[in-house]
Each structure stands twice: as structure tokens, then as C-alpha cells.
Amino acid sequence: MKTFIKVTEIWIPTKDRTRLEFSAGLYGSLNEFRVASEKESFAYDEGLPGKAWAAGHPLVLTEFDHSYFKRTQSAKKAGLTCGIALPVFSGEFLMAVVVFLCGDDQHHAGAIEVWSNSLERNAELAVIDGYYGTLDDFGRISRNIKFTRGSGLPGQVWATGMPVLIEDMGLASAFIRSADAGEAGITTALGIPVSVVANRIYIMTFLSAKATPIAQRLQIWVPDEKGRRLVCQSGYSKQNDELAEIFETISVRKGEGLLGRVWLTGVPAIRNNSDGAVVEGRLNSMLAMPVIDGGKLKAVVTFLF
């Protein structure tokens, strides 16, 4: 099963916090691009990770040629055509930048969007950046829609300040674009609050299609009422198995395993299946990404590929 996201990377500040260096990545079979990437580093406002650091909010780059993207030739050789950078802040301090790279397959359906309000329309969210693969019509529709606080997926994320996962958009009345999404083959949606810059809120949405899902599994983990353990609040699995029931019985202490380490440090982390880690009886690659507000962890979102 192909996924919409081809490459996932984490870039973290160096010890003197003046540059971003490679921390971890998931590259699938794109070994040449992985080797080229591991040697890179980015100054503040340099390259896609550095630009997201300076901007303080997510960026979407749909054209690498004649852009600030530094690895254009390597990316083109690997069949990568789009980059999305998501900065993770704790207060004003950058913890990491997560980069997603997508390709241009013929059946590359799905969407990654950045929503924000503006000074002129402070009470409405609109798409300011987005990548839709082959879903051009759905992209045009989405760019013309506005959401108020509490309406639609972006509005729900805005109102709650929490990640929101919609597992079946055909049954979700809150997803205003459900009919258009259904025609485009999109079945699952995830919204994540990212940052607030100069009173503008930024929210990312990941819309997953059956043929090329964003990930094989998506999960939202939150601290329990006592703030001692992470528990799985909601999850989606591409496979029809009993994982939901299994995860309902699991909890994770701070510092325990990959999820606990992300909670402890506030830094995104990747487990590569080449590391030999076994999850639920099989090898899996995972990205675990913290959602931080005011220096406090509110959730951990996991993508299992």
C-alpha cells in the first residue's frame, strides 16, 4: 500500500541553536535522497526547515525549481515534488521542524492544508497553503471555503485547541466538505493546532484517501486526568483489525518508550522499522509529534506507516 507522504524528516536545533541538523527520517526505498539529506543542515531562514523556523508557522512548497529548497536535484531524482514543513515550538523556542515530502504519482490522492485567520477576517479560517496531489477540483473548492470557530474540521481544532480525528467522513456531519471529499475518495481527516503568530492561529489538516492514505494508522494520545499517563483518545487504522480495542487498554508513562520520550522532551521522534522495533506483532515505522501549548504538552499525534 502506497502512502501519500513519501518521506518524513525531523530537523532539530544544534547545541548552539543557530542551525537545524538532521535528527531522524523515514525514506522508504529512497536511499540516495536519505544519504544526501543526512549531510545537510540549515541556518535560520534557510531552506524549507529554516524558512518554517523563521516564519513560525507551517509552510507548503509545491514547486522546488527556482525556490529556496536546497535539495532540488536530489528530490527530483527521487520523484519528490512537494514539501511541507511543520515547526514545533514550546513558547518562543523551536523544538524541531517536521518535514513531509510528497511525490507526483498518477494516483496520488489526498491533501495537506494549512489554515489560518487574517487581520481582515479574524473570525474566519481559510486555506493559506495546501497540497492536493491529483485532487485539483477538491483543492479549488477548499480554497474558497471559510470556517468560523467550531465549524468544520479546522473550526473544531480552533475551538478546542486540540487535535481532531474524523475516521469516517461519510458519517461526519461536522465535516462540511464531506460530499466533495467523498467524490475525491477522501475518507479520513486529521486536524492539528500548530502555532499562533501575531494573533494568527495556524492549523494543519491531513486528508487521507483510500488508495494513498496519509498513513496506515493515525492516533491521538492525551494525558489522563491526573497527568501521569498518556492514553489513546482516538485512532484510525487502514486495516480492519482490533487495534482500537487494544489501544483502549494501553497507557504510557512519561519517558517510557517512544511516546513517553516525546512527552518528556517535547521533541518529535521517529521509530524506523529498520531499527527492528516490533509493534502489535509486526514491524512498523512511526512518527510521534507533540502538540504543545504554553509550554505544556496537550497531546501526541502518531503516524504509523
Side-chain angles (χ1 to χ4, degrees):
M1 174 65 68
K2 293 184 177 180
T3 54
F4 188 69
I5 297 169
K6 304 298 184 186
V7 170
T8 304
E9 302 173 327
I10 297 174
W11 300 85
I12 60 173
T14 55
K15 290 183 178 180
D16 63 4
R17 301 192 65 83
T18 60
R19 299 184 68 84
L20 292 172
E21 63 183 2
F22 179 84
S23 173
L26 298 173
Y27 294 90
S29 61
L30 303 180
N31 291 321
E32 287 188 34
F33 186 73
R34 174 185 59 79
V35 171
S37 299
E38 289 176 347
K39 300 174 183 177
E40 275 289 0
S41 67
F42 301 93
Y44 182 78
D45 205 26
E46 178 187 35
L48 181 57
K51 289 287 184 182
W53 181 9
H57 60 76
L59 296 177
V60 178
L61 188 58
T62 56
E63 292 287 342
F64 290 158
D65 286 330
H66 311 296
S67 74
Y68 51 77
F69 194 80
K70 289 181 63 177
R71 297 170 284 167
T72 299
Q73 294 306 313
S74 298
K76 290 177 69 174
K77 188 175 180 181
L80 302 170
T81 57
C82 172
I84 300 99
L86 191 162
V88 177
F89 285 91
S90 181
E92 64 178 308
F93 296 102
L94 181 78
M95 307 303 289
V97 177
V98 179
V99 171
F100 301 104
L101 298 170
C102 301
D104 58 356
D105 297 354
Q106 182 179 359
H107 302 291
H108 194 59
I112 301 177
E113 305 168 315
V114 182
W115 295 80
S116 183
N117 52 358
S118 65
L119 295 178
E120 295 78 16
R121 294 180 175 272
N122 188 49
E124 292 181 340
L125 294 172
V127 171
I128 62 167
D129 257 330
Y131 175 64
Y132 296 89
T134 57
L135 303 181
D136 295 333
D137 290 341
F138 184 75
R140 281 191 289 271
I141 292 168
S142 299
R143 292 179 189 279
N144 289 314
I145 289 179
K146 306 291 189 296
F147 291 109
T148 56
R149 186 188 295 266
S151 69
L153 176 61
Q156 288 182 56
V157 176
W158 188 8
T160 61
M162 293 289 290
V164 175
L165 177 63
I166 298 176
E167 299 177 50
D168 188 345
M169 292 197 295
L171 301 176
S173 59
F175 194 82
I176 294 175
R177 295 174 287 167
S178 59
D180 300 308
E183 290 182 10
I186 294 173
T187 57
T188 308
L190 171 68
I192 303 175
V194 180
S195 57
V196 178
V197 182
N199 295 322
R200 292 186 64 184
I201 188 167
Y202 292 87
I203 291 166
M204 285 197 70
T205 54
F206 297 81
L207 309 182
S208 189
K210 277 188 176 181
T212 51
I214 292 292
Q216 296 294 330
R217 309 185 198 284
L218 298 168
Q219 298 163 346
I220 299 173
W221 297 75
V222 298
D224 63 14
E225 293 181 358
K226 295 182 179 180
R228 295 178 180 175
R229 291 176 176 268
L230 287 177
V231 295
C232 187
Q233 180 191 66
S234 57
Y236 163 79
S237 174
K238 177 67 179 174
Q239 288 79 24
N240 293 320
D241 50 29
E242 298 177 353
L243 279 177
E245 294 180 9
I246 294 173
F247 281 118
E248 285 178 0
T249 66
I250 293 176
S251 62
V252 179
R253 291 179 295 184
K254 185 178 290 188
E256 181 181 63
L258 188 76
L259 293 174
R261 188 167 78 246
V262 171
W263 187 9
L264 179 67
T265 63
V267 178
I270 280 175
R271 177 180 55 222
N272 198 314
N273 57 15
S274 64
D275 298 334
V278 179
V279 184
E280 294 99 45
R282 51 179 121 15
L283 294 175
N284 280 282
S285 296
M286 178 195 288
L287 165 68
M289 192 164 55
V291 176
I292 302 171
D293 183 21
K296 183 177 180 180
L297 183 129
K298 300 185 73 174
V300 177
V301 179
T302 60
F303 298 70
L304 283 84
F305 299 98

